[in-house]
Amino acid sequence: MPKLKTHRGAAKRFKLTGSGKVRRHHAYASHIMTTKTTKRKRNLRKSSILDKRDEKEIKRLIPYL
């Protein structure tokens, strides 16, 4: 079977945890931050785990990470 190419866009956005879950960063954290509360901005800094429904698709894009 041939080697699979990694989707470079996905590789920059997602990382795998030690247990095999997919980690992602929050959206809405790049600009127009003045209207957002401090609490909201603080929570946007943290990464979160990708939902189980989307995990299979992303793992197919990043086979070797």
Side-chain angles (χ1 to χ4, degrees):
M1 191 162 160
K3 290 183 193 175
L4 299 172
K5 286 201 173 187
T6 298
H7 189 289
R8 297 313 295 163
K12 292 167 188 175
R13 289 170 172 83
F14 303 101
K15 296 283 179 269
L16 289 179
T17 63
S19 59
K21 293 177 182 175
V22 182
R23 212 175 64 203
R24 68 173 183 88
H25 289 288
H26 288 281
Y28 310 111
S30 56
H31 63 101
I32 315 176
M33 300 299 280
T34 52
T35 58
K36 296 175 180 116
T37 64
T38 309
K39 180 180 178 180
R40 185 172 164 195
K41 289 188 278 190
R42 184 169 60 244
N43 288 328
L44 286 172
R45 282 200 298 262
K46 302 171 185 172
S47 63
S48 63
I49 301 297
L50 191 71
D51 197 82
K52 196 77 173 164
R53 289 168 285 196
D54 305 317
E55 203 171 276
K56 187 178 177 182
E57 181 79 17
I58 298 302
K59 281 188 172 178
R60 192 175 61 81
L61 296 175
I62 50 173
Y64 305 112
L65 294 185

